[in-house]
Amino acid sequence: MKNIFLLLCLLIVTNLAAQQKFINTRGKEIIGVDGKPFLIRGTNLGNWLVPEGYMFKFTKTSSARLINEMLLELIGPEETNIFWKKYLDNYITAADIHWLKSTGINSIRVPFNYRLFTTEDYMGGEGEARGFALLDKVIGWCKKEGLYVLLDMHCAPGGQTGDNIDDSYAYPFLFESKASRALTISIWKKIAARYKNETTVMGYDLLNEPIPHFADTARFNPMLEPLYKEITKAIREVDKNHILFLGGSQWDSNFKIFGQPFDSKLVYTFHKYWTDSTTAVIQDYIDFRNKYNVPIYCGETGENTDGWVRGFKNTLEKNNIGWHYWPYKKLDNARGFVTFNMPPHYEQVIQFADTTRSDFGDVRKNRPTNAAEIKMALEGFLNNCKFQHTIINKSYIEALGLR
């Protein structure tokens, strides 16, 4: 009997030790591996695995799909594929992650496009092996530096938003397409199966900024939480270790669509841009936290003055809310951790991207004629975005209370 008791004690201790390897939740808190509250502080690797036009200084060419189409028209298929390969290799590297660790952050959020895990051509390649290779790489870098990783499906099959941010077709087809929902669930299950034992991964942000305010919210809003439940069920079949992050509707702002929490490891995430920096703008989320005794967190914010960045960060932390500011890196921009310079002749790329190209005649008429200058501009972009050529936005980092 004594031996059985000792064995049971050993099993309990072993199980608790295993649980403590993962970031967890307890009531209103996210809990670190030391068993103490863990306040998320970090940034988003925006524009790496999900290119966005405004970060290239484009106005009309706004999504990854449209940027790719523009490059195909500008430099052709072969050179476009070469560009994307170099881009993926250069934009985020081990050096970026090493430096980020030195600032004092504890985690990063990694936005990705579902197309990285399909046979669709995306950023010069296809196949889930490439998608996993990219995630493995950044997770490995973060593991070495002691940073946690939140994986964010920024672009879901069919589109959960219907705008440039989800690289879709201007409508949230995800919610009306059984095939798109099945693919979303399948991809998340594969990701969860691969990283179920990876302690560097903090969790999975299931859908970024679903259902914009200009969609038929009365129709789409009731569809969101049921889809979250389906994805959760599939993930839990292979991974019971990781936290699941659920964003509200209307750009991760509306928590009224949520009912009673349906899983023991949920964090509810909101995004806030261009509002006041006071507690009043997040009071609804605090009330939700208090009502359901669950953690909340701000997955995206920033792109504002240093004063606003400091003020909102202080408001979040005063209310025990963690954050990932957006973005880490952006061309010719002081409102992020680092920036990099615009290369010579790049204005020609911007002009072509923002010129009407509605038919083949427009493309031919508006394509820049000096191929050497265009090559110089694109190679200059790829070179300047490397970490060794970035410029640290010191006052922005200080506004976040970082080093």
Side-chain angles (χ1 to χ4, degrees):
M1 184 65 106
K2 183 179 179 181
N3 288 338
I4 292 174
F5 176 75
L6 290 173
L7 180 60
L8 286 172
C9 289
L10 180 61
L11 287 172
I12 290 169
V13 170
T14 302
N15 187 48
L16 287 172
Q19 288 178 3
Q20 289 174 352
K21 291 179 182 178
F22 294 90
I23 299 290
N24 211 329
T25 62
R26 184 173 64 223
K28 300 174 187 177
E29 300 280 3
I30 296 172
I31 302 298
V33 296
D34 59 359
K36 298 177 182 178
F38 179 86
L39 190 69
I40 294 171
R41 291 188 179 98
T43 187
N44 286 268
L45 301 187
N47 207 42
W48 180 39
L49 304 182
V50 182
E52 294 191 54
Y54 84 102
M55 292 210 215
F56 285 78
K57 295 295 183 183
F58 305 153
T59 302
K60 294 181 179 178
T61 300
S62 56
S63 71
R65 176 173 57 86
L66 296 178
I67 296 169
N68 185 70
E69 183 179 85
M70 182 275 296
L71 288 172
L72 289 169
E73 293 169 349
L74 182 64
I75 57 177
E78 183 180 355
E79 291 301 318
T80 295
N81 288 344
I82 292 171
F83 174 86
W84 284 129
K85 184 180 186 307
K86 290 180 179 178
Y87 180 90
L88 290 169
D89 288 342
N90 291 4
Y91 201 83
I92 298 295
T93 65
D96 292 275
I97 302 303
H98 179 72
W99 177 80
L100 277 169
K101 173 65 175 181
S102 75
T103 68
I105 68 168
N106 57 28
S107 55
I108 60 167
R109 181 170 178 257
V110 181
F112 67 87
N113 194 314
Y114 83 92
R115 291 179 174 89
L116 286 168
F117 300 93
T118 70
T119 56
E120 294 183 55
D121 180 73
Y122 181 69
M123 296 184 76
E126 62 177 42
E128 67 179 46
R130 185 178 67 129
F132 280 122
L134 288 163
L135 291 189
D136 286 351
K137 186 162 59 173
V138 71
I139 290 169
W141 294 333
C142 289
K143 190 179 189 74
K144 181 180 179 181
E145 299 295 343
L147 291 175
Y148 290 100
V149 175
L150 174 57
L151 299 178
D152 155 44
M153 186 178 278
H154 219 71
C155 309
Q160 76 277 12
T161 312
D163 212 335
N164 66 297
I165 61 164
D166 66 346
D167 195 24
S168 67
Y169 301 93
Y171 188 84
F173 288 109
L174 170 67
F175 299 99
E176 294 181 344
S177 168
K178 185 177 180 180
S180 292
R181 292 195 303 275
L183 181 56
T184 302
I185 293 166
S186 172
I187 291 170
W188 267 126
K189 189 171 183 178
K190 288 179 181 179
I191 290 172
R194 188 177 188 93
Y195 299 119
K196 62 184 177 182
N197 296 318
E198 179 50 72
T199 55
T200 298
V201 174
M202 180 194 311
Y204 312 128
D205 192 339
L206 301 187
L207 293 173
N208 177 73
E209 297 188 353
I211 312 171
H213 66 281
F214 49 76
D216 184 351
T217 57
R219 169 174 167 72
F220 290 116
N221 279 3
M223 299 179 180
L224 181 55
E225 190 173 51
L227 178 55
Y228 281 147
K229 290 179 179 179
E230 288 185 74
I231 299 171
T232 299
K233 181 182 177 183
I235 288 174
R236 291 302 182 224
E237 289 174 2
V238 296
D239 180 355
K240 294 178 172 59
N241 294 322
H242 289 101
I243 298 171
L244 306 183
F245 290 71
L246 309 183
S249 58
Q250 286 72 71
W251 315 100
D252 276 12
S253 73
N254 179 9
F255 280 15
K256 292 181 174 65
I257 59 104
F258 292 122
Q260 186 76 27
F262 52 86
D263 187 86
S264 62
K265 295 182 181 180
L266 297 179
V267 173
Y268 292 82
T269 174
F270 64 89
H271 295 177
K272 278 295 171 194
Y273 289 102
W274 312 301
T275 64
D276 289 337
S277 59
T278 61
T279 298
V281 303
I282 58 172
Q283 190 60 52
D284 285 349
Y285 312 123
I286 296 170
D287 293 343
F288 180 91
R289 174 176 67 185
N290 293 337
K291 179 180 179 180
Y292 289 115
N293 194 35
V294 289
I296 59 174
Y297 131 92
C298 184
E300 285 185 28
T301 186
E303 302 234 71
N304 212 316
T305 65
D306 292 343
W308 188 94
V309 162
R310 179 182 295 105
F312 194 56
K313 189 271 294 188
N314 290 341
T315 293
L316 290 171
E317 295 197 351
K318 180 180 69 174
N319 289 284
N320 194 33
I321 299 170
W323 43 268
H324 282 136
Y325 267 65
W326 181 281
Y328 158 56
K329 179 187 291 186
K330 186 175 166 187
L331 171 66
D332 190 26
N333 169 64
R335 297 182 174 189
F337 280 61
V338 299
T339 187
F340 57 98
N341 289 328
M342 193 177 295
H345 310 298
Y346 188 73
E347 69 280 353
Q348 294 184 54
V349 178
I350 296 174
Q351 184 177 3
F352 182 68
D354 288 341
T355 299
T356 299
R357 293 175 282 109
S358 58
D359 59 35
F360 290 102
D362 282 341
V363 173
R364 287 189 289 268
K365 180 178 67 176
N366 293 312
R367 183 189 292 118
T369 57
N370 193 321
E373 290 181 352
I374 295 303
K375 184 175 183 179
M376 187 183 301
L378 294 176
E379 288 183 349
F381 184 103
L382 294 169
N383 186 55
N384 290 1
C385 76
K386 292 178 180 178
F387 175 74
Q388 60 263 38
H389 299 140
T390 57
I391 301 158
I392 296 169
N393 291 326
K394 183 179 178 182
S395 63
Y396 181 95
I397 294 166
E398 290 174 344
L400 286 173
L402 301 172
R403 296 188 293 272

